[in-house]
PDB file of all heavy atoms in Angstrom:
ATOM      1  N   ASP R 498     122.292-158.765-124.777  1.00 85.00           N
ATOM      2  CA  ASP R 498     123.347-158.466-123.814  1.00 85.00           C
ATOM      3  C   ASP R 498     122.744-157.604-122.717  1.00 85.00           C
ATOM      4  O   ASP R 498     122.287-156.473-122.969  1.00 85.00           O
ATOM      5  CB  ASP R 498     124.502-157.722-124.493  1.00 85.00           C
ATOM      6  CG  ASP R 498     125.301-158.636-125.411  1.00 85.00           C
ATOM      7  OD1 ASP R 498     125.303-159.862-125.166  1.00 85.00           O
ATOM      8  OD2 ASP R 498     125.919-158.130-126.370  1.00 85.00           O
ATOM      9  N   LEU R 499     122.753-158.126-121.506  1.00 85.00           N
ATOM     10  CA  LEU R 499     122.154-157.425-120.369  1.00 85.00           C
ATOM     11  C   LEU R 499     123.248-156.802-119.520  1.00 85.00           C
ATOM     12  O   LEU R 499     124.153-157.497-119.043  1.00 85.00           O
ATOM     13  CB  LEU R 499     121.327-158.394-119.521  1.00 85.00           C
ATOM     14  CG  LEU R 499     120.230-159.188-120.238  1.00 85.00           C
ATOM     15  CD1 LEU R 499     119.496-160.095-119.257  1.00 85.00           C
ATOM     16  CD2 LEU R 499     119.249-158.260-120.936  1.00 85.00           C
ATOM     17  N   GLN R 500     123.166-155.487-119.346  1.00 85.00           N
ATOM     18  CA  GLN R 500     124.114-154.790-118.488  1.00 85.00           C
ATOM     19  C   GLN R 500     123.569-154.776-117.071  1.00 85.00           C
ATOM     20  O   GLN R 500     122.378-154.529-116.843  1.00 85.00           O
ATOM     21  CB  GLN R 500     124.317-153.365-119.004  1.00 85.00           C
ATOM     22  CG  GLN R 500     125.347-152.563-118.227  1.00 85.00           C
ATOM     23  CD  GLN R 500     125.599-151.220-118.862  1.00 85.00           C
ATOM     24  OE1 GLN R 500     125.556-151.088-120.084  1.00 85.00           O
ATOM     25  NE2 GLN R 500     125.860-150.223-118.029  1.00 85.00           N
ATOM     26  N   GLN R 501     124.430-155.071-116.100  1.00 83.00           N
ATOM     27  CA  GLN R 501     123.986-155.177-114.717  1.00 83.00           C
ATOM     28  C   GLN R 501     123.345-153.873-114.256  1.00 83.00           C
ATOM     29  O   GLN R 501     123.899-152.796-114.390  1.00 83.00           O
ATOM     30  CB  GLN R 501     125.171-155.526-113.809  1.00 83.00           C
ATOM     31  CG  GLN R 501     124.770-155.814-112.380  1.00 83.00           C
ATOM     32  CD  GLN R 501     125.944-156.357-111.570  1.00 83.00           C
ATOM     33  OE1 GLN R 501     126.939-156.795-112.128  1.00 83.00           O
ATOM     34  NE2 GLN R 501     125.817-156.343-110.251  1.00 83.00           N
ATOM     35  N   GLY R 502     122.102-154.016-113.729  1.00 83.00           N
ATOM     36  CA  GLY R 502     121.382-152.870-113.197  1.00 83.00           C
ATOM     37  C   GLY R 502     120.612-152.081-114.229  1.00 83.00           C
ATOM     38  O   GLY R 502     119.934-151.101-113.879  1.00 83.00           O
ATOM     39  N   GLU R 503     120.661-152.515-115.513  1.00 85.00           N
ATOM     40  CA  GLU R 503     119.974-151.786-116.580  1.00 85.00           C
ATOM     41  C   GLU R 503     118.868-152.665-117.164  1.00 85.00           C
ATOM     42  O   GLU R 503     119.136-153.576-117.956  1.00 85.00           O
ATOM     43  CB  GLU R 503     120.944-151.390-117.692  1.00 85.00           C
ATOM     44  CG  GLU R 503     122.028-150.419-117.258  1.00 85.00           C
ATOM     45  CD  GLU R 503     121.474-149.021-116.972  1.00 85.00           C
ATOM     46  OE1 GLU R 503     120.398-148.695-117.536  1.00 85.00           O
ATOM     47  OE2 GLU R 503     122.091-148.290-116.203  1.00 85.00           O
ATOM     48  N   PRO R 504     117.601-152.429-116.792  1.00 86.00           N
ATOM     49  CA  PRO R 504     116.505-153.262-117.333  1.00 86.00           C
ATOM     50  C   PRO R 504     116.286-152.998-118.822  1.00 86.00           C
ATOM     51  O   PRO R 504     116.488-151.883-119.302  1.00 86.00           O
ATOM     52  CB  PRO R 504     115.291-152.825-116.507  1.00 86.00           C
ATOM     53  CG  PRO R 504     115.624-151.466-116.007  1.00 86.00           C
ATOM     54  CD  PRO R 504     117.113-151.428-115.832  1.00 86.00           C
ATOM     55  N   VAL R 505     115.904-154.050-119.527  1.00 86.00           N
ATOM     56  CA  VAL R 505     115.602-153.944-120.955  1.00 86.00           C
ATOM     57  C   VAL R 505     114.277-154.635-121.213  1.00 86.00           C
ATOM     58  O   VAL R 505     113.823-155.485-120.431  1.00 86.00           O
ATOM     59  CB  VAL R 505     116.712-154.585-121.825  1.00 86.00           C
ATOM     60  CG1 VAL R 505     118.033-153.872-121.611  1.00 86.00           C
ATOM     61  CG2 VAL R 505     116.846-156.065-121.515  1.00 86.00           C
ATOM     62  N   MET R 506     113.652-154.305-122.328  1.00 86.00           N
ATOM     63  CA  MET R 506     112.399-154.945-122.737  1.00 86.00           C
ATOM     64  C   MET R 506     112.715-156.043-123.751  1.00 86.00           C
ATOM     65  O   MET R 506     113.337-155.787-124.778  1.00 86.00           O
ATOM     66  CB  MET R 506     111.447-153.926-123.338  1.00 86.00           C
ATOM     67  CG  MET R 506     110.968-152.858-122.362  1.00 86.00           C
ATOM     68  SD  MET R 506     110.049-153.545-120.958  1.00 86.00           S
ATOM     69  CE  MET R 506     108.615-154.255-121.784  1.00 86.00           C
ATOM     70  N   ARG R 511     109.792-157.068-119.045  1.00 87.00           N
ATOM     71  CA  ARG R 511     110.876-156.235-118.524  1.00 87.00           C
ATOM     72  C   ARG R 511     111.872-157.142-117.814  1.00 87.00           C
ATOM     73  O   ARG R 511     111.565-157.758-116.789  1.00 87.00           O
ATOM     74  CB  ARG R 511     110.313-155.204-117.546  1.00 87.00           C
ATOM     75  CG  ARG R 511     111.332-154.213-116.994  1.00 87.00           C
ATOM     76  CD  ARG R 511     110.618-153.215-116.089  1.00 87.00           C
ATOM     77  NE  ARG R 511     111.534-152.204-115.591  1.00 87.00           N
ATOM     78  CZ  ARG R 511     112.242-152.317-114.471  1.00 87.00           C
ATOM     79  NH1 ARG R 511     112.141-153.436-113.751  1.00 87.00           N
ATOM     80  NH2 ARG R 511     113.043-151.349-114.075  1.00 87.00           N
ATOM     81  N   VAL R 512     113.068-157.238-118.354  1.00 88.00           N
ATOM     82  CA  VAL R 512     114.084-158.154-117.849  1.00 88.00           C
ATOM     83  C   VAL R 512     115.262-157.338-117.322  1.00 88.00           C
ATOM     84  O   VAL R 512     115.764-156.446-118.007  1.00 88.00           O
ATOM     85  CB  VAL R 512     114.565-159.128-118.946  1.00 88.00           C
ATOM     86  CG1 VAL R 512     115.627-160.079-118.389  1.00 88.00           C
ATOM     87  CG2 VAL R 512     113.395-159.915-119.507  1.00 88.00           C
ATOM     88  N   GLU R 513     115.686-157.679-116.095  1.00 87.00           N
ATOM     89  CA  GLU R 513     116.800-156.950-115.481  1.00 87.00           C
ATOM     90  C   GLU R 513     117.808-157.938-114.900  1.00 87.00           C
ATOM     91  O   GLU R 513     117.438-158.879-114.186  1.00 87.00           O
ATOM     92  CB  GLU R 513     116.288-156.035-114.373  1.00 87.00           C
ATOM     93  CG  GLU R 513     117.394-155.242-113.695  1.00 87.00           C
ATOM     94  CD  GLU R 513     116.875-154.364-112.565  1.00 87.00           C
ATOM     95  OE1 GLU R 513     115.650-154.356-112.331  1.00 87.00           O
ATOM     96  OE2 GLU R 513     117.703-153.690-111.918  1.00 87.00           O
ATOM     97  N   PHE R 514     119.083-157.712-115.218  1.00 88.00           N
ATOM     98  CA  PHE R 514     120.181-158.483-114.636  1.00 88.00           C
ATOM     99  C   PHE R 514     120.613-157.752-113.361  1.00 88.00           C
ATOM    100  O   PHE R 514     121.191-156.679-113.409  1.00 88.00           O
ATOM    101  CB  PHE R 514     121.323-158.592-115.647  1.00 88.00           C
ATOM    102  CG  PHE R 514     122.596-159.157-115.102  1.00 88.00           C
ATOM    103  CD1 PHE R 514     122.599-160.167-114.148  1.00 88.00           C
ATOM    104  CD2 PHE R 514     123.823-158.667-115.549  1.00 88.00           C
ATOM    105  CE1 PHE R 514     123.783-160.675-113.655  1.00 88.00           C
ATOM    106  CE2 PHE R 514     125.010-159.186-115.066  1.00 88.00           C
ATOM    107  CZ  PHE R 514     124.991-160.178-114.102  1.00 88.00           C
ATOM    108  N   VAL R 515     120.327-158.356-112.200  1.00 87.00           N
ATOM    109  CA  VAL R 515     120.539-157.688-110.917  1.00 87.00           C
ATOM    110  C   VAL R 515     121.953-157.898-110.401  1.00 87.00           C
ATOM    111  O   VAL R 515     122.667-156.938-110.076  1.00 87.00           O
ATOM    112  CB  VAL R 515     119.513-158.191-109.872  1.00 87.00           C
ATOM    113  CG1 VAL R 515     119.751-157.502-108.521  1.00 87.00           C
ATOM    114  CG2 VAL R 515     118.098-157.931-110.355  1.00 87.00           C
ATOM    115  N   SER R 516     122.390-159.162-110.308  1.00 86.00           N
ATOM    116  CA  SER R 516     123.710-159.431-109.749  1.00 86.00           C
ATOM    117  C   SER R 516     124.176-160.817-110.179  1.00 86.00           C
ATOM    118  O   SER R 516     123.395-161.613-110.719  1.00 86.00           O
ATOM    119  CB  SER R 516     123.686-159.335-108.211  1.00 86.00           C
ATOM    120  OG  SER R 516     122.828-160.330-107.672  1.00 86.00           O
ATOM    121  N   MET R 517     125.448-161.109-109.910  1.00 86.00           N
ATOM    122  CA  MET R 517     126.010-162.418-110.219  1.00 86.00           C
ATOM    123  C   MET R 517     126.603-163.015-108.944  1.00 86.00           C
ATOM    124  O   MET R 517     127.419-162.375-108.275  1.00 86.00           O
ATOM    125  CB  MET R 517     127.089-162.300-111.300  1.00 86.00           C
ATOM    126  CG  MET R 517     127.731-163.628-111.689  1.00 86.00           C
ATOM    127  SD  MET R 517     126.582-164.725-112.555  1.00 86.00           S
ATOM    128  CE  MET R 517     126.516-163.941-114.169  1.00 86.00           C
ATOM    129  N   ALA R 530     123.155-166.133-112.127  1.00 88.00           N
ATOM    130  CA  ALA R 530     122.681-164.790-112.470  1.00 88.00           C
ATOM    131  C   ALA R 530     121.351-164.533-111.766  1.00 88.00           C
ATOM    132  O   ALA R 530     120.371-165.249-112.007  1.00 88.00           O
ATOM    133  CB  ALA R 530     122.529-164.664-113.978  1.00 88.00           C
ATOM    134  N   ASN R 531     121.341-163.558-110.888  1.00 90.00           N
ATOM    135  CA  ASN R 531     120.093-163.152-110.237  1.00 90.00           C
ATOM    136  C   ASN R 531     119.403-162.132-111.134  1.00 90.00           C
ATOM    137  O   ASN R 531     119.927-161.032-111.357  1.00 90.00           O
ATOM    138  CB  ASN R 531     120.366-162.560-108.866  1.00 90.00           C
ATOM    139  CG  ASN R 531     120.969-163.574-107.912  1.00 90.00           C
ATOM    140  OD1 ASN R 531     120.429-164.660-107.744  1.00 90.00           O
ATOM    141  ND2 ASN R 531     122.105-163.239-107.305  1.00 90.00           N
ATOM    142  N   MET R 532     118.242-162.519-111.663  1.00 89.00           N
ATOM    143  CA  MET R 532     117.533-161.671-112.611  1.00 89.00           C
ATOM    144  C   MET R 532     116.093-161.469-112.164  1.00 89.00           C
ATOM    145  O   MET R 532     115.566-162.233-111.336  1.00 89.00           O
ATOM    146  CB  MET R 532     117.549-162.322-114.006  1.00 89.00           C
ATOM    147  CG  MET R 532     118.936-162.589-114.554  1.00 89.00           C
ATOM    148  SD  MET R 532     118.887-163.474-116.131  1.00 89.00           S
ATOM    149  CE  MET R 532     117.997-162.285-117.148  1.00 89.00           C
ATOM    150  N   LYS R 533     115.479-160.434-112.710  1.00 89.00           N
ATOM    151  CA  LYS R 533     114.059-160.191-112.496  1.00 89.00           C
ATOM    152  C   LYS R 533     113.365-160.070-113.848  1.00 89.00           C
ATOM    153  O   LYS R 533     113.818-159.316-114.714  1.00 89.00           O
ATOM    154  CB  LYS R 533     113.837-158.928-111.673  1.00 89.00           C
ATOM    155  CG  LYS R 533     114.167-159.083-110.202  1.00 89.00           C
ATOM    156  CD  LYS R 533     113.757-157.862-109.389  1.00 89.00           C
ATOM    157  CE  LYS R 533     114.022-158.072-107.905  1.00 89.00           C
ATOM    158  NZ  LYS R 533     113.621-156.898-107.096  1.00 89.00           N
ATOM    159  N   ASN R 536     109.406-158.478-112.420  1.00 83.00           N
ATOM    160  CA  ASN R 536     109.505-158.557-110.963  1.00 83.00           C
ATOM    161  C   ASN R 536     109.446-159.978-110.409  1.00 83.00           C
ATOM    162  O   ASN R 536     109.345-160.159-109.186  1.00 83.00           O
ATOM    163  CB  ASN R 536     108.402-157.715-110.293  1.00 83.00           C
ATOM    164  CG  ASN R 536     108.565-156.230-110.571  1.00 83.00           C
ATOM    165  OD1 ASN R 536     109.703-155.714-110.592  1.00 83.00           O
ATOM    166  ND2 ASN R 536     107.458-155.541-110.813  1.00 83.00           N
ATOM    167  N   TYR R 575     129.268-164.556-119.856  1.00 77.00           N
ATOM    168  CA  TYR R 575     129.361-163.563-118.785  1.00 77.00           C
ATOM    169  C   TYR R 575     130.759-162.954-118.847  1.00 77.00           C
ATOM    170  O   TYR R 575     131.750-163.668-118.797  1.00 77.00           O
ATOM    171  CB  TYR R 575     129.108-164.255-117.441  1.00 77.00           C
ATOM    172  CG  TYR R 575     129.429-163.409-116.230  1.00 77.00           C
ATOM    173  CD1 TYR R 575     128.689-162.278-115.928  1.00 77.00           C
ATOM    174  CD2 TYR R 575     130.484-163.747-115.380  1.00 77.00           C
ATOM    175  CE1 TYR R 575     128.983-161.506-114.819  1.00 77.00           C
ATOM    176  CE2 TYR R 575     130.787-162.992-114.260  1.00 77.00           C
ATOM    177  CZ  TYR R 575     130.027-161.868-113.990  1.00 77.00           C
ATOM    178  OH  TYR R 575     130.319-161.102-112.888  1.00 77.00           O
ATOM    179  N   TYR R 576     130.839-161.616-118.969  1.00 71.00           N
ATOM    180  CA  TYR R 576     132.154-161.004-119.148  1.00 71.00           C
ATOM    181  C   TYR R 576     132.110-159.548-118.696  1.00 71.00           C
ATOM    182  O   TYR R 576     131.039-158.974-118.417  1.00 71.00           O
ATOM    183  CB  TYR R 576     132.596-161.093-120.605  1.00 71.00           C
ATOM    184  CG  TYR R 576     131.647-160.441-121.596  1.00 71.00           C
ATOM    185  CD1 TYR R 576     131.832-159.122-121.988  1.00 71.00           C
ATOM    186  CD2 TYR R 576     130.575-161.154-122.137  1.00 71.00           C
ATOM    187  CE1 TYR R 576     130.972-158.526-122.893  1.00 71.00           C
ATOM    188  CE2 TYR R 576     129.719-160.571-123.041  1.00 71.00           C
ATOM    189  CZ  TYR R 576     129.914-159.258-123.419  1.00 71.00           C
ATOM    190  OH  TYR R 576     129.063-158.672-124.299  1.00 71.00           O
ATOM    191  N   LEU R 577     133.280-158.975-118.609  1.00 60.00           N
ATOM    192  CA  LEU R 577     133.425-157.566-118.252  1.00 60.00           C
ATOM    193  C   LEU R 577     133.702-156.770-119.511  1.00 60.00           C
ATOM    194  O   LEU R 577     134.571-157.124-120.313  1.00 60.00           O
ATOM    195  CB  LEU R 577     134.560-157.369-117.242  1.00 60.00           C
ATOM    196  CG  LEU R 577     134.380-158.045-115.877  1.00 60.00           C
ATOM    197  CD1 LEU R 577     135.619-157.822-115.020  1.00 60.00           C
ATOM    198  CD2 LEU R 577     133.145-157.531-115.179  1.00 60.00           C
ATOM    199  N   SER R 584     134.753-150.931-115.569  1.00 52.00           N
ATOM    200  CA  SER R 584     134.320-152.130-116.286  1.00 52.00           C
ATOM    201  C   SER R 584     132.853-152.408-115.982  1.00 52.00           C
ATOM    202  O   SER R 584     132.408-152.309-114.826  1.00 52.00           O
ATOM    203  CB  SER R 584     135.166-153.336-115.876  1.00 52.00           C
ATOM    204  OG  SER R 584     136.514-153.136-116.251  1.00 52.00           O
ATOM    205  N   THR R 585     132.101-152.760-117.007  1.00 63.00           N
ATOM    206  CA  THR R 585     130.677-153.039-116.853  1.00 63.00           C
ATOM    207  C   THR R 585     130.449-154.545-116.990  1.00 63.00           C
ATOM    208  O   THR R 585     130.977-155.171-117.915  1.00 63.00           O
ATOM    209  CB  THR R 585     129.854-152.303-117.934  1.00 63.00           C
ATOM    210  OG1 THR R 585     130.135-150.905-117.839  1.00 63.00           O
ATOM    211  CG2 THR R 585     128.371-152.555-117.734  1.00 63.00           C
ATOM    212  N   THR R 586     129.660-155.098-116.068  1.00 77.00           N
ATOM    213  CA  THR R 586     129.360-156.523-116.099  1.00 77.00           C
ATOM    214  C   THR R 586     128.253-156.785-117.118  1.00 77.00           C
ATOM    215  O   THR R 586     127.184-156.177-117.047  1.00 77.00           O
ATOM    216  CB  THR R 586     128.906-157.009-114.711  1.00 77.00           C
ATOM    217  OG1 THR R 586     129.924-156.698-113.769  1.00 77.00           O
ATOM    218  CG2 THR R 586     128.677-158.506-114.715  1.00 77.00           C
ATOM    219  N   ILE R 587     128.528-157.688-118.056  1.00 83.00           N
ATOM    220  CA  ILE R 587     127.581-157.998-119.124  1.00 83.00           C
ATOM    221  C   ILE R 587     127.213-159.485-119.052  1.00 83.00           C
ATOM    222  O   ILE R 587     128.087-160.343-118.910  1.00 83.00           O
ATOM    223  CB  ILE R 587     128.180-157.691-120.517  1.00 83.00           C
ATOM    224  CG1 ILE R 587     128.566-156.212-120.630  1.00 83.00           C
ATOM    225  CG2 ILE R 587     127.201-158.083-121.626  1.00 83.00           C
ATOM    226  CD1 ILE R 587     127.403-155.252-120.587  1.00 83.00           C
ATOM    227  N   LEU R 588     125.930-159.761-119.153  1.00 85.00           N
ATOM    228  CA  LEU R 588     125.431-161.134-119.230  1.00 85.00           C
ATOM    229  C   LEU R 588     124.708-161.300-120.557  1.00 85.00           C
ATOM    230  O   LEU R 588     123.723-160.605-120.824  1.00 85.00           O
ATOM    231  CB  LEU R 588     124.475-161.442-118.074  1.00 85.00           C
ATOM    232  CG  LEU R 588     123.815-162.825-118.099  1.00 85.00           C
ATOM    233  CD1 LEU R 588     124.844-163.920-117.854  1.00 85.00           C
ATOM    234  CD2 LEU R 588     122.695-162.923-117.065  1.00 85.00           C
ATOM    235  N   ARG R 589     125.205-162.211-121.385  1.00 86.00           N
ATOM    236  CA  ARG R 589     124.544-162.493-122.658  1.00 86.00           C
ATOM    237  C   ARG R 589     123.583-163.672-122.459  1.00 86.00           C
ATOM    238  O   ARG R 589     123.972-164.715-121.928  1.00 86.00           O
ATOM    239  CB  ARG R 589     125.552-162.816-123.740  1.00 86.00           C
ATOM    240  CG  ARG R 589     124.931-163.236-125.070  1.00 86.00           C
ATOM    241  CD  ARG R 589     125.949-163.260-126.173  1.00 86.00           C
ATOM    242  NE  ARG R 589     126.411-161.907-126.468  1.00 86.00           N
ATOM    243  CZ  ARG R 589     127.395-161.631-127.321  1.00 86.00           C
ATOM    244  NH1 ARG R 589     128.030-162.614-127.943  1.00 86.00           N
ATOM    245  NH2 ARG R 589     127.757-160.383-127.540  1.00 86.00           N
ATOM    246  N   VAL R 590     122.353-163.503-122.875  1.00 87.00           N
ATOM    247  CA  VAL R 590     121.340-164.539-122.668  1.00 87.00           C
ATOM    248  C   VAL R 590     120.588-164.811-123.968  1.00 87.00           C
ATOM    249  O   VAL R 590     120.564-163.974-124.879  1.00 87.00           O
ATOM    250  CB  VAL R 590     120.316-164.145-121.572  1.00 87.00           C
ATOM    251  CG1 VAL R 590     121.009-163.929-120.240  1.00 87.00           C
ATOM    252  CG2 VAL R 590     119.518-162.898-121.988  1.00 87.00           C
TER     253      VAL R 590
END
Side-chain angles (χ1 to χ4, degrees):
D498 288 334
L499 305 180
Q500 183 174 326
Q501 187 171 343
E503 296 290 336
V505 298
M506 295 299 296
R511 184 177 183 271
V512 180
E513 180 182 359
F514 170 36
V515 179
S516 63
M517 180 68 75
N531 296 308
M532 302 175 62
K533 286 188 177 180
N536 295 321
Y575 169 67
Y576 58 93
L577 297 177
S584 296
T585 303
T586 303
I587 301 294
L588 176 68
R589 175 168 293 174
V590 299

